[in-house]
Amino acid sequence: MKKMLPNLFTLGNLLSGFAAILLISQEQFEISVLLIVVGLVCDFLDGYCARILHATSEFGKELDSLADLITFGVAPAIFAYVVSLHEIHVVGAVCCLFYVCCSALRLARFNVRQSHMTVFVGMPTPVAAVLSILLTIYVYPLVAMVGIVLIGILMVSPFYFPSLKKVKPEAMEDC
């Protein structure tokens, strides 16, 4: 039963990403970005609750990665393409596909490594999603395209990024 709460947050992440994709297709960009942020919050809460409830599992880890791929891989790529990179036609689409592939590779690599590490190898997908959305909104399509490719490369890079897994806000201990 205690494993149910983290998985519900994970499903909240997944549903937020899927709803964001639907809204992007209807050109409701502001709400879609808000839903990706909701996915970020759910992603933080699922891992946090699983750790404090001692309810981590292989199933939860795999479900989390599938949800993350939708919310932080596919949704930002579709957002980037529809909002900006469609202006570069096929090249813009290929860059978005590259970003999605890098997201999937990043998440798969995370799953086969120790998840209790205090650092991440490669840029975490939630950070990549936020950066790609900001690039898409605030810069010209060609610059956004280069930025999204670089973000994809950073996700699969050997560079270390800090982990928030040790963060324990006092207000959330009763999750």
Side-chain angles (χ1 to χ4, degrees):
M1 187 68 170
K2 70 180 181 177
K3 291 184 181 184
M4 191 176 207
L5 183 61
N7 289 336
L8 288 174
F9 280 121
T10 302
L11 291 174
N13 173 10
L14 175 68
L15 294 174
S16 295
F18 182 75
I21 292 168
L22 291 178
L23 291 172
I24 291 164
S25 71
Q26 297 173 1
E27 297 185 357
Q28 295 184 30
F29 303 123
E30 295 85 5
I31 299 171
S32 66
V33 170
L34 180 61
L35 284 167
I36 292 171
V37 171
V38 169
L40 282 164
V41 172
C42 288
D43 186 50
F44 173 80
L45 291 174
D46 71 1
Y48 183 79
C49 287
R51 285 187 296 279
I52 65 168
L53 294 173
H54 305 288
T56 58
S57 68
E58 287 299 311
F59 175 84
K61 182 170 69 169
E62 296 299 329
L63 181 62
D64 182 69
S65 286
L66 292 170
D68 288 356
L69 181 59
I70 298 300
T71 306
F72 310 129
V74 177
I78 292 172
F79 182 87
Y81 184 78
V82 171
V83 170
S84 176
L85 297 187
H86 70 278
E87 295 180 21
I88 311 171
H89 309 289
V90 174
V91 175
V94 169
C95 290
C96 292
L97 290 170
F98 177 78
Y99 176 90
V100 171
C101 289
C102 289
S103 298
L105 291 168
R106 164 70 181 82
L107 291 163
R109 179 173 64 186
F110 175 78
N111 282 354
V112 298
R113 290 183 177 244
Q114 297 289 341
S115 61
H116 62 274
M117 298 173 60
T118 58
V119 294
F120 290 118
V121 179
M123 179 183 287
T125 55
V127 174
V130 169
L131 291 177
S132 66
I133 289 169
L134 290 173
L135 274 174
T136 302
I137 293 170
Y138 291 113
V139 300
Y140 293 106
L142 233 52
V143 177
M145 178 193 72
V146 171
I148 286 171
V149 168
L150 289 174
I151 290 168
I153 291 168
L154 285 172
M155 281 191 280
V156 296
S157 75
F159 301 126
Y160 293 110
F161 291 81
S163 170
L164 298 177
K165 288 187 178 203
K166 300 298 178 188
V167 174
K168 291 188 179 182
E170 299 300 322
M172 295 183 61
E173 294 213 343
D174 295 328
C175 186

